[in-house]
Amino acid sequence: MDGHLDRRRFLQGTAALALGLGVGASACGPQGAAEGTPLKFWNLFTGGDGARMMELVTAFQQARPEVSLQATTLSWGTPYYTKLAMAAAGGRSPDVAVLHLSRLAGYAPAGLLDPYDPALLAEFGLTASAFPAAAWQRAQHQGLVYALPLDTHPLVLFYNTEICGKAGLLGPDGRLLPLRGEAALLDAFRRAKQAGAQQGVVMAVSADINPWRLFWTLYRQQGGELFDPAATRLVLDEAKALRALKFLRAITVESGVARGDLNNNAAVAMFGSGQAGFFWNGEWEMPTFVEQNTPFDVIPFPAIYDTAGVHGDAHALVLPHRADRDPARTRAAVDFVRFLLQHSLTWAKGGHIPAYRPVATSPEYAQLGPASRYAAAADSLELDPPCWFGGAASELQNRAGAVFSQVCAGGLTPEAAIPEFTSAMRTLLATPRPQL
């Protein structure tokens, strides 16, 4: 680095840290690549997702031997986003990176991403008609496309086919009978427990981000908004929020069908070992149950209220800001993105719904079994509100989760949770947006 740090670069670094870590945190990010080095790709995938992504990277290297590509995996969440923001703030970022689409509102307006060239997207066939409408809309900022969704990954409802069969919850085709409304869902959970399950349903509701995801699903199904369109003012509908929280409390505290103190690992283990009739979580857990030979199937999360909206997100491919962006390297980067999208059937085997419509509507995807049975959820995806402090592993999710987890554990009533939640949201709204 230079021997001095001017004011602009200092402010860029400070803002990037706020976007990566949240209010008041700090860290150090890596330097990007200079011209002439391999095309650099950053991602945050480990486990099965990591293996599938490396399979795609290897396939690209074999198909494009003339392109030198270096893939780097960084830790999911705060560490990843801090390093990506710092690299982009300095203009020395990787050529391509993965970004949760819910994070775009914090990155594109701050100048941390470069937009895709519309002519290049059209040439490569990467236009609006190739993606789900909701995801495509969130991929834009000021009329320009800043992200290309690789997938959508919503919350879904897993069910143990053996337990639900004993409980009389399956139809002649062996699939779960339709569920609609609070009473029907609670009744299904009770019947699963009466059929021998230790828990009617398991959910990750300890102090993490999942309670926010569950709340947002139920709140958005009622049409509730959290902020005004500019994300400058809280517009919480307290009646709808209270209804959602009361239902979560009914499941985890009052009905006896679920525990309100499980973390994600415990919930996954209980369902995978046949101790629960249902499991409410993200579709990304599906490979675990396949590997364990758990007797299960999966459906989109039911419409409990007015719509079938469900919390979810999308892994998207972005062009982090580079001060020395070269047209030839950018073209190679977009070609790599197109390759990932065209071959995203491999990615879908991990449970994620392909965002690229030619794959999502293909016969091959339809034959993936459980992985294709909740594809309709892509059209009902409810991402976090588009604010700079929202999205995956964000301050919004963490602060909301800290409040709502207490409701699920029985330590806080839904009525008492509303003012705590609104106070946390107003604090975030009052925090100045980082300026570059």
Side-chain angles (χ1 to χ4, degrees):
M1 295 182 64
D2 295 339
H4 69 281
L5 185 67
D6 63 29
R7 182 176 182 274
R8 177 173 175 79
R9 290 180 66 191
F10 173 78
L11 291 175
Q12 286 178 327
T14 303
L17 289 170
L19 287 167
L21 289 169
V23 180
S26 63
C28 182
Q31 295 295 306
E35 294 299 328
T37 59
L39 201 68
K40 292 192 174 183
F41 168 50
W42 283 9
N43 70 87
L44 68 176
F45 301 123
T46 57
D49 279 352
R52 277 177 284 274
M53 180 52 67
M54 288 311 301
E55 181 180 344
L56 288 168
V57 167
T58 299
F60 175 79
Q61 291 170 326
Q62 293 172 345
R64 306 281 196 278
E66 72 281 6
V67 178
S68 179
L69 176 68
Q70 179 183 14
T72 300
T73 301
L74 302 170
S75 298
W76 191 94
T78 295
Y80 178 81
Y81 283 114
T82 299
K83 292 177 181 179
L84 181 62
M86 287 293 290
R92 299 180 179 182
S93 59
D95 299 274
V96 185
V98 170
L99 185 91
H100 283 88
L101 198 55
S102 60
R103 280 274 189 163
L104 191 75
Y107 278 68
L112 298 175
L113 304 177
D114 292 335
Y116 283 94
D117 179 356
L120 194 57
L121 292 181
E123 178 186 342
F124 284 7
L126 304 176
T127 56
S129 61
F131 300 92
W136 183 257
Q137 182 179 4
R138 285 292 294 263
Q140 298 179 65
H141 171 62
Q142 295 184 341
L144 295 175
V145 176
Y146 280 83
L148 293 174
L150 174 63
D151 63 41
T152 55
H153 47 275
L155 297 184
V156 294
L157 188 65
F158 294 91
Y159 61 96
N160 184 296
T161 52
E162 292 182 357
I163 293 173
C164 289
K166 294 176 183 177
L169 295 170
L170 305 184
D173 60 354
R175 305 282 178 81
L176 190 68
L177 292 169
L179 299 173
R180 182 74 188 245
E182 292 182 359
L185 200 66
L186 277 173
D187 180 65
F189 295 161
R190 289 192 186 98
R191 289 170 65 178
K193 192 168 182 180
Q194 292 167 356
Q198 292 185 24
Q199 301 293 323
V201 60
V202 286
M203 305 179 291
V205 289
S206 61
D208 57 19
I209 62 179
N210 214 45
W212 157 255
R213 294 167 172 163
L214 305 179
F215 166 81
W216 192 238
T217 294
L218 299 173
Y219 184 64
R220 289 295 294 155
Q221 283 195 357
Q222 302 173 71
E225 299 285 351
L226 185 57
F227 305 124
D228 68 334
T232 59
R233 181 171 56 88
L234 187 70
V235 295
L236 180 74
D237 187 318
E238 293 192 5
K240 292 175 179 177
L242 189 61
R243 187 182 187 188
L245 290 175
K246 283 185 174 180
F247 185 51
L248 283 177
R249 186 179 177 89
I251 295 174
T252 56
V253 178
E254 297 166 359
S255 64
V257 300
R259 288 173 52 179
D261 61 348
L262 295 180
N263 61 26
N264 191 70
N265 289 342
V268 170
M270 290 190 72
F271 184 80
S273 60
Q275 300 178 58
F278 292 87
F279 180 44
W280 185 5
N281 206 324
E283 39 73 20
W284 52 84
E285 301 292 356
M286 188 185 69
T288 299
F289 306 138
V290 171
E291 183 178 343
Q292 294 178 344
N293 293 316
T294 305
F296 82 97
D297 209 334
V298 59
I299 60 169
F301 190 79
I304 305 302
Y305 302 118
D306 303 325
T307 73
V310 60
H311 183 278
D313 211 328
H315 295 117
L317 297 153
V318 298
L319 305 176
H321 175 62
R322 288 177 64 91
D324 56 352
R325 181 163 293 283
D326 174 71
R329 288 178 69 90
T330 299
R331 185 179 186 85
V334 177
D335 184 42
F336 171 60
V337 169
R338 177 176 61 171
F339 184 92
L340 294 180
L341 294 171
Q342 290 177 334
H343 296 82
S344 55
L345 183 67
T346 297
W347 188 243
K349 293 176 182 177
H352 304 312
I353 304 170
Y356 189 56
R357 288 202 182 279
V359 175
T361 59
S362 68
E364 292 81 5
Y365 177 62
Q367 294 170 6
L368 282 185
S372 65
R373 289 180 192 149
Y374 45 82
D379 297 322
S380 305
L381 206 65
E382 295 289 351
L383 277 73
D384 281 11
C387 52
W388 74 265
F389 50 81
S394 66
E395 283 293 293
L396 187 156
Q397 292 191 349
N398 291 332
R399 297 194 185 192
V403 175
F404 297 152
S405 63
Q406 295 180 62
V407 175
C408 295
L412 194 66
T413 66
E415 291 82 1
I418 297 296
E420 288 202 19
F421 175 60
T422 56
S423 175
M425 295 302 101
R426 288 195 174 101
T427 297
L428 290 175
L429 286 170
T431 304
R433 184 189 186 110
Q435 299 295 320
L436 300 181

